[in-house]
């Protein structure tokens, strides 16, 4: 572990709590929207990959719109883990019935729950690995209250279709002990980067706590040279300077393509010797808001994005790209309920209609809290996160340049799995204090 310069993670926690009164009978009418239908030639795992990818882009769009347009949100930078959210909501479907289940499946772009049960293990089992320059780890926990046990069928489903280690019974009456154990689980899973995932008050009425932690740490395949880092101005989307940043620089052969349909350029910076994981940097054309590019990306096939990046290496194999990227480091703490409601998950959060009879026959529980805490560090050595097109190379005499001196988006992806692990935007990187 000594080779890693920095550390970070992404964590999502869901709390399912008892209501104070008697639950009303839930409606069981089918959802009106249509889940994603994948091509018939795709395997079950490939369908699940595509479902997770579609969810990730829709999730990314909703988060950026919330941050950009909600006056109550004061942050501008974003780091979220769509994969953690998708992963945990997949577990939640095991306890849901009726319209509650249909809304979850539709938002997850899943045709039927059997699709999750049959292919969840082969899809997710490769998302934990460690080698000399990259570490990726993911864990899921369903923490139950020993004093109010869940149904045996729910226990059986989690152990059979997911992972027997996912169940973590605790005594919620012993608040201090449970509080310490849960936060220790999170801290261990994120290499100590998130130490307080829950508060003691979260346990007072909690029936279940579902936790997903995703940790990533990686060195760039080609690190930036610190001696080339300089202070330069960073502008807002109206091209007005907001301050000075530490701008990293390097020149190398990287996948780099222009996307006319997206009004953007995308640069890929790989991690590690095997280049399995990489960061996609998304730079809108001047005058185009980043949120508009992300909206277009939702309806754009990610396979086309990768195809154009791969083609750029073939068509322009001798062309080096000048990369100017600011250092940035930030954390976030989001309540995901407004975002998930925008994506069509509504009944699960309604104390009067949520249908989780598979968890408890009393059916007196609902999703009361969905919190995601994330942290991201990008520097010269690498990254830590706990996240019809034409080529752009017109003049071979001048090296093409990716200049991130204004707001840009990013995705951290698993290339073989076509999975978006982290997503975000940088509108205000760490500014240099010259005073």
């Amino acid at each position: 572990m000594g080779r890693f310069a920095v550390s970070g993670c992404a964590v999502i926690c869901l709390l399912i709590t008892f209501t104070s009164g008697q639950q009303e009978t839930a409606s069981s009418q089918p959802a009106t929207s249509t889940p994603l239908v994948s091509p018939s030639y795709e395997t079950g795992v490939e369908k699940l990959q595509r479902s997770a990818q579609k969810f990730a882009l829709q999730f990314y769009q909703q988060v950026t719109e919330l941050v950009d347009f909600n006056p109550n949100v004061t942050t501008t930078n974003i780091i979220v883990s769509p994969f953690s959210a998708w992963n945990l909501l997949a577990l939640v479907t095991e306890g849901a019935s009726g319209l509650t289940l249909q809304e979850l499946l539709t938002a997850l772009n899943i045709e039927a729950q059997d699709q999750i049960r049959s292919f969840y293990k082969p899809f997710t089992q490769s998302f934990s690995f460690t080698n000399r320059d990259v570490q990726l780890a993911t864990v899921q926990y369903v923490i139950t209250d020993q004093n109010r046990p869940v149904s045996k069928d729910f226990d059986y489903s989690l152990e059979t279709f997911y992972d027997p280690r996912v169940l973590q019974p605790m005594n919620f009456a012993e608040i201090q002990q449970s509080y310490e154990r849960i936060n220790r689980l999170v801290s261990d899973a994120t290499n100590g980067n998130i130490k307080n995932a829950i508060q003691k008050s979260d346990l007072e009425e909690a029936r279940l706590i579902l936790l997903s932690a995703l940790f990533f740490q990686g060195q760039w395949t080609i690190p930036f040279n610190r001696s080339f880092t300089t202070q330069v101005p960073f502008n807002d989307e109206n091209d007005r300077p907001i301050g000075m940043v530490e701008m990293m620089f390097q020149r190398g052969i990287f996948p780099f393509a222009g996307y006319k349909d997206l009004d953007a350029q995308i640069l890929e910076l790989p991690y590690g010797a095997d280049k399995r994981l990489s960061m996609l940097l998304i730079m809108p054309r001047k005058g185009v808001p980043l949120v508009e590019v992300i909206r277009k990306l939702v309806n754009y096939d990610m396979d086309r994005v990768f195809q154009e990046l791969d083609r750029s290496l073939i068509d322009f194999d001798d062309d080096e790209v000048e990369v100017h990227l600011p250092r940035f480091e930030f954390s976030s703490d989001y309540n995901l309920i407004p975002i998930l409601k925008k994506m069509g998950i509504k009944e699960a959060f309604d104390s009067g209609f949520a249908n989780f009879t598979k968890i408890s026959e009393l059916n007196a529980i609902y999703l009361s809290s969905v919190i995601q805490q994330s942290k991201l560090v990008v520097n010269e050595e690498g990254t830590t996160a706990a996240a019809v097109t034409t080529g752009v190379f017109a003049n071979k005499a001048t090296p093409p340049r990716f200049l991130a001196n204004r707001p840009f988006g990013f995705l951290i992806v698993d290339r073989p799995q076509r999975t978006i692990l982290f997503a975000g935007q940088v509108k205000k990187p760490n500014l240099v204090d010259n005073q």
Side-chain angles (χ1 to χ4, degrees), residues 225-231 246-249 327 380:
N225 189 328
R226 281 185 177 268
S227 65
F228 294 154
T229 299
T230 58
Q231 295 183 11
E246 296 282 355
M247 185 70 75
M248 305 181 295
F249 170 80
R327 291 181 192 162
E380 286 86 349

Side-chain angles (χ1 to χ4, degrees), residues 29-101:
Q29 295 300 317
T32 56
S33 54
T34 303
L36 177 71
V37 178
S38 303
S40 58
Y41 62 84
E42 289 184 313
T43 67
V45 172
E46 289 171 340
K47 286 183 179 180
L48 216 55
Q49 289 174 348
R50 190 172 292 275
S51 297
Q53 181 188 106
K54 186 71 174 177
F55 172 88
L57 292 175
Q58 293 170 340
F59 183 82
Y60 187 23
Q61 176 190 352
Q62 293 299 333
V63 173
T64 55
E65 291 185 353
L66 177 71
V67 169
D68 285 4
F69 302 133
N70 190 323
N72 296 321
V73 178
T74 57
T75 184
T76 55
N77 297 324
I78 296 172
I79 168 63
V80 290
S81 174
F83 179 71
S84 281
W86 182 92
N87 210 339
L88 209 53
L89 290 174
L91 293 180
V92 172
T93 64
E94 282 299 329
S97 300
L99 181 59
T100 302
L101 174 62

Side-chain angles (χ1 to χ4, degrees), residues 274-287:
D274 62 3
K275 302 182 181 181
R276 170 179 168 174
L277 302 182
S278 60
M279 175 178 280
L280 305 185
L281 295 162
I282 305 166
M283 177 59 68
R285 296 183 188 275
K286 277 198 173 184

Side-chain angles (χ1 to χ4, degrees), residues 282-433:
I282 305 166
M283 177 59 68
R285 296 183 188 275
K286 277 198 173 184
V288 178
L290 178 59
V291 68
E292 293 297 330
V293 174
I294 295 171
R295 284 173 178 165
K296 293 176 181 179
L297 189 62
V298 171
N299 298 314
Y300 202 82
D301 191 340
M302 284 297 294
D303 286 344
R304 290 172 60 192
V305 171
F306 291 123
Q307 287 168 5
E308 289 303 316
L309 289 171
D310 292 340
R311 186 180 302 167
S312 73
L313 288 179
I314 297 173
D315 294 345
F316 308 100
D317 61 334
D318 293 330
D319 283 354
E320 293 184 325
V321 182
E322 288 188 355
V323 180
H324 303 258
L325 180 67
R327 291 181 192 162
F328 55 96
E329 175 179 352
F330 51 84
S331 302
S332 64
D333 190 341
Y334 291 109
N335 173 12
L336 298 186
I337 290 180
I339 295 164
L340 296 176
K341 282 184 175 180
K342 285 278 190 178
M343 296 180 70
I345 302 175
K346 298 179 180 179
E347 194 172 89
F349 305 112
D350 190 323
S351 61
F353 291 95
N355 189 342
F356 288 104
T357 50
K358 292 181 184 177
I359 297 177
S360 168
E361 294 180 358
L362 296 176
N363 196 30
I365 55 178
Y366 68 103
L367 290 180
S368 64
S369 177
V370 185
I371 305 297
Q372 184 171 87
Q373 300 177 40
S374 305
K375 179 180 179 181
L376 178 71
V377 179
V378 174
N379 61 19
E380 286 86 349
E381 286 78 28
T383 298
T384 303
V388 180
T389 61
T390 58
V392 299
F393 311 130
N395 182 0
K396 284 207 169 190
T398 303
R401 183 172 66 160
F402 183 89
L403 178 58
N405 66 344
R406 52 191 172 87
F408 60 92
F410 64 86
L411 305 172
I412 297 178
V413 300
D414 183 315
R415 265 282 209 159
Q417 294 278 38
R418 294 294 198 263
T419 300
I420 299 170
L421 302 175
F422 297 92
Q425 69 179 23
V426 179
K427 289 197 169 183
K428 188 177 181 181
N430 305 78
L431 301 179
V432 178
D433 185 2

